[in-house]
Amino acid sequence: MENKRSSFSNTLGFVLAAAGSAVGLGNLWRFPYLAAKYGGGIFILVYLILAVTLGFTLMITEIAIGRRTGLSAINAFQKLDKRFGIIGYLACAASFIITPYYCVIGGWVVKYLITFLTGNVVAAAEEEYYNGFITGSAEPILWFGVFVLFTAVVVMIGVEKGIERASCVLMPVLIVLTVAIALYCVTRPGAMEGVKYYLLPDFSRFSATTVLAAMGQLFYSMSLAMGTMITYGSYMKKEDNLEKSVRQIELFDTALAILAGFMIVPSVFVFSGGNEEALGKGPSLMFVTMPKVFENMKFGSIIGTVFFLLVLFAALTSSISLMETNVSIVCDKWGWSRKRTTALTTVYVLIMGAVISLGYGSLNFIRILGMGLLDFFDFISNSILMPVIGILTCISIGFFIKPQVVYDEVEINGEFKVKRFYTVMLKWIAPVCLILIVLFAVAEAAGWIQV
Ligand code: TRP
């Protein structure tokens, strides 16, 4: 006998859970540095345009597929059309690849939160502290394990009591903390220069790479093309308004990304005396530059603690959605219980994650395409699998399964306001944009272009 599928209890629960998935390290760490790197306001503008066009199209498609079939990625595609089960398998592969390394970074966040809580602000501001930590063996794996266990417990408890409840507590706190810190940061002496740098468009920096970088960021930030939104859609009630919910999730995600920039860009700008290079440093922006900024800021140890707390909340709700994607695919496909599946997934994540974590330390001789383990997995999942899944989703729904399934699902809750626009986006514009992303990623990896 099949169990009745769980669901989120109402629209707010659904929107907060989906926003919880979307808002994560992508918003808090990646968006600000990309915005700073690609010309400030111009990047933000391009991103906003893409969010309401491309992001909207893919997100509404995925959530509609999920709700329509009541299934997670593999079974959902198989149910719509046997031939397209492969898309579900690719999404499954991608989410199994992302989950372990996302949790490794989650473990770093736990470590920094503890460091700030215990008052080691000065130590944390040293470059050596970060390098020493990530290249270690036991310590990063320990904090990673703590992070994974938190995630697993919530997933094991289930959709409504676990995921929804966690999101309904963590997301409001996250917003309040983010707004508070952003306000504090932009009112520091000299911060306005940084705000200008962040917001004023520098048109001279506008190029195709700006658009492509924004597109890649968009997909990652909105948790698209990995089956996550299909899974969450499958827990959405038929009476909740789909089109409106998608707009709310997007607004949430984008607002938090922009706010994160207000926390980070002006502070780093002031700290580094207007030196833009400080912003473009990849992972070390959050774990090296920000601690330095806090060390020099009034009440820095408190602000730093709160900052890492909010990063932790954001990362947790995202890792929960990633693990849930894996678990729901396995449960649907093989009919295993949630408990058993979560336990086995956790073991898998722990083993893979430990290996990836060691990739910075004792296993750092392993290089694939010139990348370390974490970067390699990030590249495969985000730069290759994600756009490929996106392209296949658009083409399969647009031309074979037909967009009517999405219309029907959206129209359960009233008129589909932007139906024509949606159809053109789905069939033509989105696939072309996604093909460009793949080409771009390959060219970058091969060293033909420099970003
Ligand atoms: N969107 C999250 C972030 O911004 C990461 C994430 C969670 C994700 N689930 C996902 C990314 C599914 C891609 C697919 O950090």
Side-chain angles (χ1 to χ4, degrees), residues 21-27 98 102 220-221 223-224 226 228 318 321-322:
S21 166
V23 176
L25 296 166
N27 304 57
I98 288 197
Y102 200 86
Y220 186 77
S221 183
S223 304
L224 296 172
M226 303 265 176
T228 301
S318 297
S321 77
L322 283 164

Side-chain angles (χ1 to χ4, degrees), residues 273-296:
N275 177 1
E276 297 164 19
E277 254 168 48
L279 282 162
K281 287 208 176 134
S284 61
L285 174 66
M286 180 170 281
F287 298 105
V288 178
T289 317
M290 286 311 285
K292 283 193 179 137
V293 169
F294 294 131
E295 190 199 4
N296 287 286

Side-chain angles (χ1 to χ4, degrees), residues 191-205:
M192 271 307 142
E193 278 308 301
V195 173
K196 272 193 212 146
Y197 172 73
Y198 177 50
L199 289 183
L200 289 182
D202 177 353
F203 287 99
S204 68
R205 294 228 223 139

Side-chain angles (χ1 to χ4, degrees), residues 94-113:
S95 72
F96 269 90
I97 294 176
I98 288 197
T99 312
Y101 83 75
Y102 200 86
C103 292
V104 169
I105 303 180
W108 299 355
V109 178
V110 177
K111 161 77 180 174
Y112 272 77
L113 174 61

Side-chain angles (χ1 to χ4, degrees), residues 300-323:
S301 62
I302 299 172
I303 303 290
T305 309
V306 178
F307 175 79
F308 281 105
L309 188 70
L310 74 88
V311 177
L312 178 65
F313 286 178
L316 263 178
T317 48
S318 297
S319 68
I320 289 168
S321 77
L322 283 164
M323 191 177 282

Side-chain angles (χ1 to χ4, degrees), residues 46-231:
V46 170
Y47 186 88
L48 287 176
I49 294 172
L50 292 173
V52 296
T53 53
L54 264 185
F56 175 81
T57 304
L58 259 287
M59 190 179 290
I60 202 163
T61 306
E62 288 197 27
I63 296 179
I65 296 175
R67 190 169 79 169
R68 170 87 178 184
T69 57
L71 294 164
S72 51
I74 296 184
N75 288 34
F77 273 105
Q78 281 176 339
K79 186 168 174 181
L80 291 173
D81 185 330
K82 273 259 157 305
R83 291 170 294 174
F84 294 114
I86 175 76
I87 305 176
Y89 282 100
L90 290 174
C92 171
S95 72
F96 269 90
I97 294 176
I98 288 197
T99 312
Y101 83 75
Y102 200 86
C103 292
V104 169
I105 303 180
W108 299 355
V109 178
V110 177
K111 161 77 180 174
Y112 272 77
L113 174 61
I114 306 271
T115 305
F116 272 83
L117 267 178
T118 50
N120 280 326
V121 185
V122 179
E126 294 296 318
E127 194 123 8
E128 272 319 300
Y129 188 81
Y130 170 71
N131 290 333
F133 168 65
I134 65 165
T135 55
S137 306
E139 222 206 331
I141 294 181
L142 172 79
W143 297 122
F144 153 74
V146 170
F147 185 86
V148 174
L149 290 184
F150 260 122
T151 307
V153 166
V154 175
V155 172
M156 193 164 291
I157 297 175
V159 175
E160 193 182 333
K161 296 218 169 67
I163 301 175
E164 179 176 334
R165 249 206 290 172
S167 310
C168 288
V169 175
L170 297 181
M171 295 312 286
V173 178
L174 177 75
I175 304 179
V176 172
L177 298 184
T178 309
V179 172
I181 300 211
L183 275 176
Y184 184 78
C185 291
V186 296
T187 49
R188 292 308 86 205
M192 271 307 142
E193 278 308 301
V195 173
K196 272 193 212 146
Y197 172 73
Y198 177 50
L199 289 183
L200 289 182
D202 177 353
F203 287 99
S204 68
R205 294 228 223 139
F206 178 80
S207 70
T209 47
T210 308
V211 181
L212 289 164
M215 245 190 276
Q217 169 63 12
L218 176 76
F219 277 79
Y220 186 77
S221 183
M222 299 206 166
S223 304
L224 296 172
M226 303 265 176
T228 301
M229 288 298 162
I230 300 184
T231 294

